[in-house]
């Protein structure tokens, strides 16, 4: 029987830029907030209101809040 040591040393050294990278969700932020984005887009596209921006403001706010949770600021 032979035993082999398994290396658990990461292939790249830890830096401020990659520390905690394993805690980040996979994929882009856009992919993570697709439900909020879809609801916002549907409201804006299919609104019967004269002012879709006002009618859909709560959905726009939810989308912005969700994106902010991933570190993005949307004006």
């Amino acid at each position: 029987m032979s035993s082999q040591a398994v290396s658990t040393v990461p292939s790249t050294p830890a830096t401020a830029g990659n520390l905690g990278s394993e805690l980040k969700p996979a994929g882009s932020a856009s992919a993570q907030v697709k439900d909020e984005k879809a609801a916002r887009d549907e409201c804006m596209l299919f609104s019967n209101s004269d002012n879709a921006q006002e009618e859909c403001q709560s959905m726009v706010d939810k989308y912005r809040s969700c994106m902010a949770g991933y570190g993005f600021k949307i004006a």
Side-chain angles (χ1 to χ4, degrees):
M1 232 191 215
S2 80
S3 64
Q4 295 179 338
V6 177
S7 174
T8 59
V9 177
S11 60
T12 57
T15 66
N18 68 11
L19 278 176
S21 62
E22 68 278 358
L23 302 176
K24 294 179 184 175
S28 68
S30 298
Q32 302 298 321
V33 297
K34 63 185 175 183
D35 294 336
E36 288 82 356
K37 182 178 180 184
R40 177 206 63 182
D41 291 349
E42 185 175 330
C43 183
M44 293 295 282
L45 291 171
F46 300 111
S47 172
N48 292 324
S49 172
D50 290 336
N51 190 347
Q53 288 181 334
E54 187 176 298
E55 179 183 342
C56 302
Q57 188 61 47
S58 67
M59 292 186 193
V60 171
D61 290 341
K62 284 181 186 177
Y63 175 73
R64 285 181 178 161
S65 175
C66 194
M67 289 294 285
Y70 291 99
F72 293 91
K73 286 182 84 174
I74 299 175

